[in-house]
Amino acid sequence: YQRRVRGTLTTMKFLILLTLVAAAAALDHKAVLDTTFYDNDGNAVTLADLKGKYIGLYFSASWCGPCRRFTPTMIDVYNRAKRAGHNFEIIWMSRDRYESSAEDFFAKMPWYRVSWSEKQKAVDLFYLTQQRYIPALTILDPDLNVINPQARYDVEYHPDNFPWRD
């Protein structure tokens, strides 16, 4: 009986350790971002193409009233930052429930997005960047370090303070 209990405890410890190692490996937002992003015309870019740029991870959804109100502001600030010559790109992370809703909402946006088929990456990044509500905006520096996990407020109230460091 004692051997069986010890064996079970050893197995449980191993499984817990394995789970912790897997979780730690999954907690790297840089690895999750290593994918292909698309604009409204279907043009694709990879993370390597965005090297050296500040990146905004914009989490929103068509069904969200605050998102529908904030998105035009984000578009205006994005366009002004681009015109000013800032090395800046946004990647939209849909929190929509339905692909057709996400497609319609994204049609108004001038930046890139994670494809619907990789929606889980948006979910993972939402939690990895410690978001709780949408709309949310996280700013990454050119080395992909999070420099402002809650940049929405800064974009709304200090739009000219690019890159909105925390």
Side-chain angles (χ1 to χ4, degrees), residues 79-95:
N79 287 333
R80 287 192 321 201
K82 298 292 271 185
R83 280 192 305 270
H86 294 301
N87 235 356
F88 180 53
E89 207 46 74
I90 291 179
I91 302 169
W92 183 54
M93 306 284 168
S94 175
R95 300 292 289 156

Side-chain angles (χ1 to χ4, degrees), residues 22-58:
L27 290 179
D28 181 7
H29 67 274
K30 295 173 188 177
V32 177
L33 281 169
D34 193 11
T35 188
T36 302
F37 310 103
Y38 300 90
D39 68 11
N40 273 309
D41 296 324
N43 298 314
V45 297
T46 64
L47 193 57
D49 297 323
L50 300 176
K51 186 177 174 130
K53 294 185 178 205
Y54 286 90
I55 297 174
L57 303 178
Y58 178 42

